[in-house]
Amino acid sequence: MGPRARKTWLALHVISSVGWLGATLANLALASAAFGAPQLYRAMALLGDLVVLPLALTALTTGVVLSLGTRWGLVKHRWVLVKFALTVVAVAATAFSLRPELHAAASGVAGAGRGVLAASCVSLSIYVFSTVVSVFKPWGRTRWA
């Protein structure tokens, strides 16, 4: 991958990752307030559908493209492999757990939405950890390097 293409993909990756982190912070704030105002779950469901999931998929896609198109590789360094695994888990949890829970809570299903605050905290922890791993690049190379 040439320098211009790498920088373009990197910019897209950073923008989508930071956006995903910001949208998660917004969901965390809304989840904290939703205990007294259940209508906020509608806003969270909308945010999940139109912002969080597209940003998550973009971050995953651009991360894979960058890993395959640069010297880091997808399986050459442990930090890349850990970030990839965490991102896949976070995208799957967003798509198949968080969004359905938000839609159920927005529809007024009794008991729905209880895990949303915890899910937002876990998501935020994953994204912060992934960011730190990206900066420090720990753990060395894998046996496939």
Side-chain angles (χ1 to χ4, degrees), residues 52-130:
V52 175
L53 189 57
L55 286 172
L57 292 170
T58 303
L60 176 62
T61 303
T62 56
V64 169
V65 168
L66 280 168
S67 69
L68 295 176
T70 63
R71 66 183 173 97
W72 296 110
L74 186 59
V75 296
K76 291 181 181 179
H77 295 83
R78 286 185 180 92
W79 72 270
V80 176
L81 210 47
V82 166
K83 268 191 69 173
F84 175 68
L86 287 173
T87 302
V88 168
V89 167
V91 169
T94 297
F96 302 115
S97 181
L98 179 63
R99 285 181 56 246
E101 179 81 6
L102 288 173
H103 285 279
S107 299
V109 174
R114 285 188 201 147
V116 172
L117 182 61
S120 295
C121 290
V122 170
S123 296
L124 183 61
S125 298
I126 289 172
Y127 309 148
V128 168
F129 180 77
S130 291

Side-chain angles (χ1 to χ4, degrees), residues 15-21 23 50-60:
I15 291 165
S16 60
S17 298
V18 169
W20 192 10
L21 179 65
L50 300 179
V51 179
V52 175
L53 189 57
L55 286 172
L57 292 170
T58 303
L60 176 62

